[in-house]
Amino acid sequence: MFVTDIRTQFYDVILHHRVLVLVANDVDALCAGKILQTLFQWDHIQYTLVPVAGKHDVERAYFEHSEQVKYVILINCGGSINLLETLQPDENVIFFICDNHRPLDLWNVYNETQVKLLMSPDDDFEIPSYDDVFRDDESDEDSGAESDSSEPSGKRQRYDEEALERRLDRRQERRNWEERRAKILFDYEEFSYFGSSAAVVMYNLAWKRSKDTNDLLWWAIVGLTDQLLHKKIDREKYVSDVTELNRHVARHNHRGEDDENVVSVNSMKISFMPDLQLVLYRHWSVYESLKHSSYTACTLKLWTLKGKKKLNEFLADMGLPLAQCRQKFSAMDITFKNNIRDLLESSAKKFGLDNITLPSFHAQYGFKNKFCAFDIAYAVEAVLESIDKDKSSEERFLDALDCLSRSYIDRLHKGLESAKLQLQAMVTEVQSLLDMGQVVSAGPFLYAFIPEGTPETKFFAHPNCLSMLARFTLEAYVKMSKSKRAKNLPLVMTAPLDTETGTSLVVGVPPLPELEQSARNFFGRAFEQAGDKTGSRTLHNHFDPSVMELKTEDRSKFFDALISLLS
């Protein structure tokens, strides 16, 4: 059941109870969890927060804490799972789901008592009507039409024939209804996609309770930014949500330009301005950022000699000396540093970089620290999917949560350094795949296998990082390919997950036109059907159905079945 008033139907209900909060392993969920955690602390609500990486973690976490709680909140998880069937909860347990994964499970949508959906009312859910997918079972026997044994035999025979005909009509009607239902469900579940940011939904709750602050607003901005970063929403949806958040930014940060330097050490000021599509350039050098940004790297084809020459021409056209753009941004000459956006914009169109800027937000912590929302999203993601083997997934989650706090700036800076390593590994891997011709057309889709043993593979044993690499690789391949068909093909990529157990991580990304529009992905259903058809040992544990685990030994037969299925 959809909650129409998030304040009265959700927050006021849990206000004086202990709650269990399950948070998925992504930045948007982390930001939403941070907002909710802050509200709970202000209102002295007892809670248990548990990070969950997959469906099995949801089951385990619920069973471990089910005796202590009556209310369970699921952030970016649980929406696509039939919770009542999976968890078998007591009748008094209520689940509140704030999940950006689509489509939603219909049992969750139409449950009136135990499942409450906290979603943005602006989303288009495309939910089939109740009567099209649910039907009360009726007996095929028509007891009311049974003939009385005392009736004459001719009349009794006529009654029997009419009853039989009615039963046959009902059975035919049911078969027709079931066929229609199967088609409706197939159409509804065929594609996976994403809705509004969970962090934005939670910020709106804080706003309606008059508890919103600049910190909570900043976390909502970072959550939304992460969605664009991972192509979960298109640019149009991002701009629409940014415009809405900018109203709150203006309300909380209404000091004039003359007051810009009047900032106390412990305060934060958020500002809205267009920003460059260059990764971490304020914390790197402009040259390195241009090389490691997928937009500029793919447009200029920087992995080729011609592309490197074009980059130097681009810098020369801007009037930016090579010595300046190769050193750290903070050490650049003040004239170049202050005018870097204008310089890039002035030359961008000549080199095909028409969309070099996009709307974003900046936060200034006190006097010294200034961050773009994209910087924070990259840093938190890198900490969340850290390659540090000494840390458990729970410790990485808590470190990522700390990165969002202004009290742990040192951890945020470490996250920025980790993000640079992650981006360098991506560019190295993309160049290797292209140079070695390892992006192969299988007919209905492209595929690429990351070989074991290369140093970069440790970065790609995580779903978000591997998905980013797959999108980067697809964009690069399309730019390099002479085939017009390439831009309409999706990509499937596998990377070694665990060499001891012989498993691989598999992700599927939609073709580029869909990435620019609605980011709908059909690989979830296709992966399941290919696995079932071949008996491949697969694990569909991730909340995003286009991510799965596969026994490496079964890879060949799985891909043969996938090619056959999608041809």
Side-chain angles (χ1 to χ4, degrees), residues 462-474:
H462 301 281
N464 292 326
C465 190
L466 184 60
S467 297
M468 286 178 69
L469 174 67
R471 284 188 290 271
F472 198 154
T473 304
L474 179 59

Side-chain angles (χ1 to χ4, degrees), residues 282-335:
R282 290 181 183 82
H283 312 279
W284 218 345
S285 69
V286 172
Y287 189 81
E288 290 297 317
S289 183
L290 283 164
K291 275 178 59 181
H292 294 92
S293 302
S294 62
Y295 178 65
T296 50
C298 293
T299 304
L300 300 176
K301 303 176 185 175
L302 295 184
W303 43 85
T304 65
L305 287 173
K306 190 176 179 181
K308 290 172 184 173
K309 184 181 176 183
K310 204 170 184 180
L311 175 60
N312 290 331
E313 290 174 6
F314 179 47
L315 295 171
D317 191 80
M318 285 192 294
L320 191 61
L322 208 56
Q324 287 289 327
C325 64
R326 281 185 181 274
Q327 64 183 326
K328 197 166 182 181
F329 183 78
S330 58
M332 284 176 71
D333 186 286
I334 191 72
T335 308

Side-chain angles (χ1 to χ4, degrees), residues 525-536:
R525 288 289 295 264
F527 284 168
E528 288 181 14
Q529 291 175 13
D532 292 341
K533 188 176 179 181
T534 58
S536 300

Side-chain angles (χ1 to χ4, degrees), residues 21-26 28-30 32-34 36 52 73-78 96-100 198-199 202 543:
V21 185
L22 307 182
V23 182
N25 260 1
D26 67 74
D28 179 39
L30 207 71
K34 186 76 171 174
L36 198 59
V52 289
I73 303 168
L74 300 100
I75 300 179
N76 281 357
C77 58
F96 292 99
I97 303 174
C98 181
D99 193 353
N100 62 24
M202 287 302 164
F543 303 119

Side-chain angles (χ1 to χ4, degrees), residues 18-22 40 46-50 65 68-69 73:
R18 184 179 187 88
V19 294
L20 172 64
V21 185
L22 307 182
F40 285 172
Q46 291 185 314
Y47 67 93
T48 302
L49 190 145
V50 182
H65 300 91
Q68 306 169 27
V69 295
I73 303 168

Side-chain angles (χ1 to χ4, degrees), residues 134-317:
F134 295 103
R135 175 172 172 159
D136 295 329
D137 288 332
E138 296 176 359
S139 171
D140 286 333
E141 298 299 324
D142 189 358
S143 56
E146 291 294 330
S147 60
D148 189 343
S149 59
S150 62
E151 293 282 355
S153 59
K155 197 173 183 180
R156 189 166 62 246
Q157 183 179 0
R158 189 169 68 252
Y159 282 153
D160 290 343
E161 288 174 354
E162 289 175 356
L164 177 61
E165 189 174 337
R166 281 195 295 272
R167 282 199 296 273
L168 291 173
D169 287 345
R170 278 200 307 275
R171 287 177 185 174
Q172 182 61 45
E173 182 192 347
R174 184 169 184 86
R175 277 195 295 270
N176 293 340
W177 178 84
E178 286 173 348
E179 288 175 6
R180 286 196 306 274
R181 178 181 186 270
K183 185 180 186 307
I184 289 168
L185 287 178
F186 179 83
D187 292 341
Y188 175 67
E189 297 171 352
E190 184 178 9
F191 296 101
S192 61
Y193 58 105
F194 292 87
S196 293
S197 159
V200 172
V201 172
M202 287 302 164
Y203 174 76
N204 285 330
L205 166 65
W207 173 54
K208 288 178 180 178
R209 299 198 74 252
S210 301
K211 294 278 183 87
D212 56 321
T213 65
N214 247 1
D215 284 294
L216 271 58
L217 176 56
W218 181 240
W219 297 330
I221 289 167
V222 173
L224 174 63
T225 302
D226 177 70
Q227 283 199 302
L228 183 69
L229 200 65
H230 289 282
K231 309 294 185 187
K232 293 179 178 179
I233 56 174
D234 55 30
R235 189 168 176 139
E236 184 181 345
K237 168 70 173 168
Y238 170 76
V239 170
S240 171
D241 287 353
V242 159
T243 305
E244 188 63 36
L245 287 175
N246 191 32
R247 295 192 181 99
H248 296 290
V249 169
R251 184 166 53 85
H252 281 287
N253 303 268
H254 50 75
R255 288 190 296 269
E257 291 298 320
D258 295 338
D259 301 327
E260 187 174 351
N261 295 322
V262 186
V263 180
S264 69
V265 175
N266 296 320
S267 71
M268 178 172 72
K269 184 175 187 287
I270 303 174
S271 55
F272 171 77
M273 65 178 72
D275 198 32
L276 298 167
Q277 285 204 62
L278 299 183
V279 293
L280 309 177
Y281 72 92
R282 290 181 183 82
H283 312 279
W284 218 345
S285 69
V286 172
Y287 189 81
E288 290 297 317
S289 183
L290 283 164
K291 275 178 59 181
H292 294 92
S293 302
S294 62
Y295 178 65
T296 50
C298 293
T299 304
L300 300 176
K301 303 176 185 175
L302 295 184
W303 43 85
T304 65
L305 287 173
K306 190 176 179 181
K308 290 172 184 173
K309 184 181 176 183
K310 204 170 184 180
L311 175 60
N312 290 331
E313 290 174 6
F314 179 47
L315 295 171
D317 191 80

Side-chain angles (χ1 to χ4, degrees), residues 373-385:
F374 284 96
D375 298 341
I376 306 292
Y378 274 113
V380 175
E381 180 68 66
V383 173
L384 198 59
E385 296 193 336

